[in-house]
Amino acid sequence: GPGEGGGSPAGGSEVWTWTRTPPSLKPPSVHCEAGAILATYSKYCKKRTGKDKDLFKKAVRLFLFVDDASAKADMERTVSQALAKLALPRELLASQESLEELKAVGLKGQQYFIIPTLFHLVADLQRQKREFAVLFRSFGKDHEKVKGEWNAFCELRHPVFSRLIQDVGPLDGSVPSLPDRRGHDLHPLYRDSEG
């Protein structure tokens, strides 16, 4: 979810309340009332929905278990802002030629599959000649879509982000001094309830 909250008992059942901290990689440092447990909204939904995956997805997407209308509106606004940053540039969606170019690299909707920051990070690391690897983790069946967009970037075919490595060169193994960073084989790993 877009923030952390505290789950506290209310009449025998837990209630999730947003701490109103902005999204962060670190847990918020807020004081919780006695008996409250700090948990992400996603974790709270998981606990509340049990093994019902459909209800879990719906609860997370629609903020079903957020009782405070103001908090829910703020959370929805945070999600909208994040999705806006994943939106493809409007000019690329304006012409049939651009749409065909997007489709050729696997971008068929109106958003990137890969968070744009990753392209900037890889370009910077490559320019610094740092040793690194990229590992993609997926929560569904979007492996091929991610692979298509990533490989287009590495092969200098990405309509937006290949410009970031234009001065470095393609990362497809065609330049002896540069590694082939493309995704070739997909190796899904599955996790069961025991980890």
Side-chain angles (χ1 to χ4, degrees), residues 18-85:
W18 188 20
T19 61
R20 296 200 181 265
T21 54
S24 173
L25 295 175
K26 297 179 181 179
S29 55
V30 295
H31 176 71
C32 290
E33 54 187 80
I37 300 168
L38 197 61
T40 64
Y41 179 68
S42 179
K43 279 188 178 179
Y44 175 75
C45 290
K46 189 120 184 132
K47 182 177 179 182
R48 206 155 147 195
T49 59
K51 295 186 184 246
D52 188 335
K53 287 184 179 181
D54 291 332
L55 179 57
F56 170 75
K57 288 178 183 178
K58 188 175 180 181
V60 170
R61 282 191 188 130
L62 302 176
F63 301 123
L64 291 181
F65 302 139
V66 178
D67 295 331
D68 180 340
S70 172
K72 187 174 185 175
D74 287 346
M75 291 167 74
E76 288 169 344
R77 193 170 15 265
T78 299
V79 169
S80 293
Q81 289 170 349
L83 290 175
K85 292 182 183 198

Side-chain angles (χ1 to χ4, degrees), residues 3 15 18 33 37 41 55 62 82 92 94 110 120 136 153 160 166 174 193 195:
V15 174
W18 188 20
E33 54 187 80
I37 300 168
Y41 179 68
L55 179 57
L62 302 176
L92 285 179
Q110 296 189 6
H120 290 270
F136 292 103
F153 169 72
V160 178
Q166 199 76 41
S174 63
S193 61

Side-chain angles (χ1 to χ4, degrees), residues 77-119:
R77 193 170 15 265
T78 299
V79 169
S80 293
Q81 289 170 349
L83 290 175
K85 292 182 183 198
L86 290 174
L88 292 165
R90 287 186 185 149
E91 59 271 12
L92 285 179
L93 301 172
S95 74
Q96 189 60 37
E97 183 181 331
S98 294
L99 289 174
E100 291 300 321
E101 187 180 358
L102 291 171
K103 194 174 180 181
V105 300
L107 295 170
K108 296 176 185 168
Q110 296 189 6
Q111 294 177 318
Y112 302 110
F113 288 115
I114 299 173
I115 296 173
T117 301
L118 179 65
F119 297 114

